Amino acid sequence: YNDEYFQQHEGTAMGKSLSPFSANLFMSKFETEYFPRVWFRYVDDIFAVFDTKAISLDNFVAKLNNRFPTIKFTYEVEHNEQLPFLDVLVIRNNENKKATATLKIYSQRFTPPFST
């Protein structure tokens, strides 16, 4: 950069073909060890839903940040039941919940539409 050379000490160089694969492989370790109820990741942005009665969000992020000193996770908490994520505004809606499936299986004899 500007006729100067820099040496990479940690991680992978941006723009190299192996970098996204390495980052995904690395992040998959976090996703299997510390998996909350909902965890969606797009590149380096994560949308997660936590049961804060079961786990403290501060403790969770501190545990992630202590694993590797060069990687720091940050977080935002919803305000007024809204949370921006990427280019979408996620809004919590507690109204009009659909009933869950009862998992009943009804047996019905299958009759082919055409017989030969």
Side-chain angles (χ1 to χ4, degrees):
Y1 179 75
N2 287 339
D3 295 326
E4 292 186 51
Y5 293 96
F6 297 90
Q7 184 176 4
Q8 182 92 21
H9 292 284
E10 295 179 9
T12 59
M14 291 182 65
K16 296 295 181 183
S17 59
L18 192 58
S19 296
F21 173 75
S22 299
N24 282 330
L25 187 65
F26 181 83
M27 286 302 297
S28 69
K29 181 72 171 166
F30 284 119
E31 294 168 345
T32 56
E33 283 184 17
Y34 307 104
F35 203 75
R37 280 187 353 191
V38 175
W39 180 278
F40 297 112
R41 180 171 55 89
Y42 179 75
V43 187
D44 62 347
D45 294 309
I46 299 168
F47 181 87
V49 176
F50 285 86
D51 180 3
T52 54
K53 295 175 185 169
I55 185 171
S56 164
L57 189 55
D58 290 329
N59 290 341
F60 178 80
V61 172
K63 185 182 275 190
L64 290 179
N65 287 337
N66 287 332
R67 292 288 308 264
F68 297 94
T70 58
I71 297 176
K72 294 298 175 199
F73 286 83
T74 60
Y75 64 93
E76 295 181 37
V77 179
E78 69 176 353
H79 296 285
N80 298 325
E81 298 186 346
Q82 298 180 355
L83 181 65
F85 179 68
L86 300 174
D87 290 335
V88 177
L89 180 63
V90 180
I91 301 172
R92 181 191 302 253
N93 183 359
N94 293 324
E95 299 175 9
N96 303 323
K97 289 186 178 180
K98 293 183 178 181
T100 57
T102 58
L103 299 178
K104 290 182 182 177
I105 299 174
Y106 296 99
S107 174
Q108 187 176 24
R109 185 172 178 205
F110 174 73
T111 307
F114 302 103
S115 35
T116 55

